[in-house]
Amino acid sequence: MLIIDQLAHGNAWRHHALIEKICLGLGGLGVVIGQPGWVTGTLVSCALMAAAVWGARIPFGFLLRVLCIPAGFVVLGALTFLFSVDANGIHFVASGVAAAFTLIGRSFAATVCVCFLALTTPATDLLCGMRRVGLPRDVAEIALLTYRFLFQIAETAATMHAAQAARLGHVTPMRRLRCLGMLVANLLPRAFERARHMEIGLAARNWNGELRVQASAVPVSWWRVAAIVWGWICVLWAGRVMQ
């Protein structure tokens, strides 16, 4: 099991109602979309990171590791606002600084919203919630099978990587690069093989096109929902004032 899924099943807010966590995650995303500017995005990011660390007890270091890769892509995208390339070379664009900060603030905040949901809510709970609001059964089953398949691919890649390291395949940078190429080349056939085995296993269990998962019914605290909505209204107002 991936550590993200372990935290989703074992965090302090695991038994909070799904609608409460959706109001936090998707509510913050709605605030970021509805109010342009980097100030609102920064407030949303800080609020959700504080909720994840102090409320759901997600380790702060792991949260930063989860966010660092998408944050890198965001920063690289923002650099396109700061520099222009023409026949005379590369030039710094001073007028693009505000647009770059806006892009970083809003994009990073949206990433934090999605990661907050992923770290506090298991995928089965999300799919069951989407089924209750009308998501087609076939779409939900494909999403659940894809989610399960990701674990199999990650497990296969980790096993292959450990086997290469045990055979001293990572001693030098060149051997490490060669082993990486071999891993990528062999991972796809193994992934298809595992997918085929999973399909055979489902057929042997008389799968009729629906995967039933157990989701605990948690009562909704409407006081928490109201507090979350009021908090996002305050963040939206503060973003407009400070912009």
Side-chain angles (χ1 to χ4, degrees):
M1 182 180 290
L2 296 177
I3 188 170
I4 292 179
D5 210 53
Q6 293 177 3
L7 289 174
H9 283 86
N11 66 88
W13 285 357
R14 168 65 179 87
H15 298 292
H16 283 205
L18 176 62
I19 189 173
E20 299 173 14
K21 290 178 280 189
I22 287 180
C23 285
L24 266 175
L26 298 187
L29 186 60
V31 170
V32 173
I33 295 174
Q35 176 61 35
W38 63 272
V39 176
T40 304
T42 303
L43 292 175
V44 171
S45 299
C46 294
L48 280 181
M49 291 178 69
V53 174
W54 292 328
R57 297 292 189 269
I58 302 297
F60 182 67
F62 179 76
L63 179 62
L64 290 182
R65 290 199 300 271
V66 170
L67 294 172
C68 67
I69 295 179
F73 284 102
V74 170
V75 172
L76 287 177
L79 291 179
T80 60
F81 289 94
L82 300 178
F83 299 95
S84 64
V85 181
D86 55 21
N88 297 322
I90 301 177
H91 305 281
F92 177 75
V93 181
S95 60
V97 175
F101 274 107
T102 300
L103 174 65
I104 292 175
R106 300 184 72 188
S107 300
F108 184 75
T111 303
V112 173
C113 293
V114 176
C115 290
F116 173 83
L117 272 181
L119 291 172
T120 58
T121 311
T124 52
D125 290 358
L126 288 173
L127 289 173
C128 290
M130 288 188 290
R131 285 289 304 275
R132 286 195 292 268
V133 297
L135 182 71
R137 186 187 69 177
D138 296 337
V139 176
E141 304 311 325
I142 291 174
L144 189 58
L145 288 174
T146 303
Y147 180 74
R148 173 66 182 127
F149 189 55
L150 290 176
F151 285 102
Q152 294 187 351
I153 293 178
E155 181 183 358
T156 302
T159 302
M160 295 172 63
H161 184 272
Q164 290 177 344
R167 292 172 174 83
L168 302 180
H170 301 159
V171 176
T172 63
M174 290 303 299
R175 294 186 67 177
R176 182 185 295 271
L177 183 62
R178 181 173 177 270
C179 288
L180 178 61
M182 294 175 61
L183 188 149
V184 173
N186 289 283
L187 182 60
L188 185 61
R190 289 176 180 264
F192 280 118
E193 182 182 0
R194 294 292 297 270
R196 178 60 179 168
H197 290 168
M198 185 169 64
E199 181 184 5
I200 294 174
L202 289 173
R205 291 168 177 81
N206 196 25
W207 181 53
N208 61 355
E210 183 177 4
L211 293 175
R212 296 185 178 273
V213 295
Q214 183 179 4
S216 58
V218 180
V220 180
S221 174
W222 295 109
W223 289 105
R224 287 199 196 107
V225 173
I228 292 169
V229 173
W230 176 250
W232 286 136
I233 292 175
C234 293
V235 169
L236 187 62
W237 174 80
R240 289 183 177 179
V241 171
M242 299 170 61
Q243 190 66 36

